[in-house]
Amino acid sequence: MASSNNAPSLGRCGGFVAERLRDAFHLPARRTSVPEARRRVIAVLHEWGAAEQVCDDAELVVSELFTNAVRHTDSEKVDCELTVVGAFLRLEITDQGRGGSAPHVQPGSVDKECGRGLFLVGALSESWGVRPGPSGRGRTVWADLPYGPPTAH
C-alpha cells in the first residue's frame, strides 16, 4: 500500500479563498481491497470535515468503481484519488489493465442484481466519465460529487 498524499493548497472560489484538498493511495487489485478503499476514503473525508451525506455517497461510488476495476481488468493495483475543488469532490479510480470495453451503464441495469453500479454512480454524481490511464495502459474512471462547505466539529 502507498501512503496518503494529503496535500492541501489554496485557491480562489467565488470570492473567498478555499483550501484545495487532495489525497491518493493505491491498493492491490483484489476483491478484499474494496472494503479497505471504502475505509480509507471515509477516514479522509471525516478528517476533512465532510458532511455525512458526502461520506455516504463517496463510499458507494468508490465501492462501485473500485469493484469494477478489480473485476473487469487484469490490474495488479488500483489507484484512488480524492480531490476537493470548489463545490465538488472528484473521485478517480485508475486501473492498469485492459478490460473488454469502456465502463458504461447497462440498459435495464436498475432491475438486475449485477450491473447497477454505474447507474448508481450516475445518480449520485454531478458528472462522471472515463479517460485513458496516465501510463497509457488502463483507464481512469472519475466522478464529481457535490461537496459543499465543510461541517463544523
Side-chain angles (χ1 to χ4, degrees):
M1 275 187 285
S3 61
S4 295
N5 296 323
N6 194 0
S9 62
L10 298 178
R12 273 249 176 252
C13 183
F16 66 92
V17 176
E19 189 174 30
R20 181 174 183 213
L21 301 169
R22 180 185 176 279
D23 191 76
F25 60 90
H26 67 263
L27 296 168
R30 296 190 300 249
R31 289 188 344 208
T32 56
S33 294
V34 176
E36 177 63 19
R38 284 193 302 258
R39 280 190 291 275
R40 292 193 62 170
V41 166
I42 294 306
V44 167
L45 291 175
H46 281 145
E47 182 181 312
W48 292 349
E52 213 47 50
Q53 185 65 51
V54 172
C55 293
D56 292 346
D57 292 351
E59 181 177 27
L60 181 58
V61 168
V62 164
S63 182
E64 295 298 337
L65 297 182
F66 206 98
T67 298
N68 284 351
V70 169
R71 178 184 272 174
H72 300 295
T73 72
D74 63 353
S75 301
E76 291 182 19
K77 70 175 180 134
V78 177
D79 298 327
C80 181
E81 185 172 326
L82 301 80
T83 310
V84 174
V85 180
F88 293 98
L89 168 65
R90 172 156 291 189
L91 298 168
E92 296 185 353
I93 302 295
T94 302
D95 63 58
Q96 303 171 305
R98 292 177 289 275
S101 64
H104 61 281
V105 176
Q106 299 284 334
S109 61
V110 175
D111 299 325
K112 297 178 184 176
E113 185 173 322
C114 191
R116 289 186 291 223
L118 291 177
F119 178 81
L120 293 172
V121 169
L124 295 173
S125 304
E126 187 71 25
S127 59
W128 72 276
V130 182
R131 68 174 183 270
S135 69
R137 185 167 183 249
R139 62 180 61 100
T140 298
V141 183
W142 57 268
D144 289 337
L145 283 70
Y147 185 74
T151 58
H153 287 289

